[in-house]
Amino acid sequence: MTVTTRDLFERYHSCWEARDPDRIAELHTDGSVFHLHSGQDPVRGRAAIREAAAGMFELVPDLAFDSVSLRVGEDFWVAQFKLTGTSTAGAMVDVDLMDYVLVEDGAVKEKHSYVDGAAMQAALAPAEVNA
């Protein structure tokens, strides 16, 4: 059975919605790249991708993805989301996200995620304490 890019997107997105870093990593190629373009260096390989995803869920345990748009081609997809939730710092997360994903042999080869870095940093920063 051939996995279509749309099928892979659906499976992959459901893993993110379930906040399951193990299943996310399994859908990547061995040498896959995940790059969150908000000041972080790219990570490579399933183990590093698993850790990066787990780290996001630790920072925002109730992270939710509201779909805005999706474009799917033969070997890529581009998806726009609104990320929402509450960070462990207690701040509300309300951030725009754009994913550009390249697919190879039915798996994610590269995932480039572009977020509103200023909004994300504000949500993750510890709340100021009034003295």
Side-chain angles (χ1 to χ4, degrees), residues 6-129:
R6 179 61 187 237
D7 292 338
L8 177 61
F9 167 80
E10 296 295 339
R11 288 182 22 230
Y12 189 71
H13 182 62
S14 71
C15 295
W16 280 93
E17 286 183 317
R19 296 183 285 286
D20 188 336
D22 293 320
R23 287 179 44 219
I24 290 167
E26 289 171 4
L27 292 176
H28 281 258
T29 62
D30 288 334
S32 188
V33 174
F34 171 55
H35 192 178
L36 178 59
H37 293 266
S38 66
Q40 291 87 351
D41 290 329
V43 297
R44 297 177 192 282
R46 288 184 180 132
I49 290 167
R50 189 223 171 272
E51 291 305 312
M56 286 183 211
F57 301 135
E58 288 173 11
L59 292 172
V60 186
D62 63 346
L63 187 63
F65 302 82
D66 297 318
S67 180
V68 175
S69 69
L70 174 66
R71 300 292 183 265
V72 179
E74 184 176 324
D75 62 350
F76 74 93
W77 72 73
V78 177
Q80 183 180 2
F81 298 97
K82 175 66 82 172
L83 300 181
T84 58
T86 305
S87 74
T88 54
M92 296 303 300
V93 174
D94 185 6
V95 178
D96 294 322
L97 167 74
M98 178 72 70
D99 280 340
Y100 173 65
V101 177
L102 297 177
V103 173
E104 180 178 83
D105 297 327
V108 174
K109 178 181 178 183
E110 293 183 28
K111 179 178 196 246
H112 296 273
S113 295
Y114 299 88
V115 299
D116 179 341
M120 183 61 88
Q121 291 300 327
L124 299 179
E128 292 186 31
V129 178

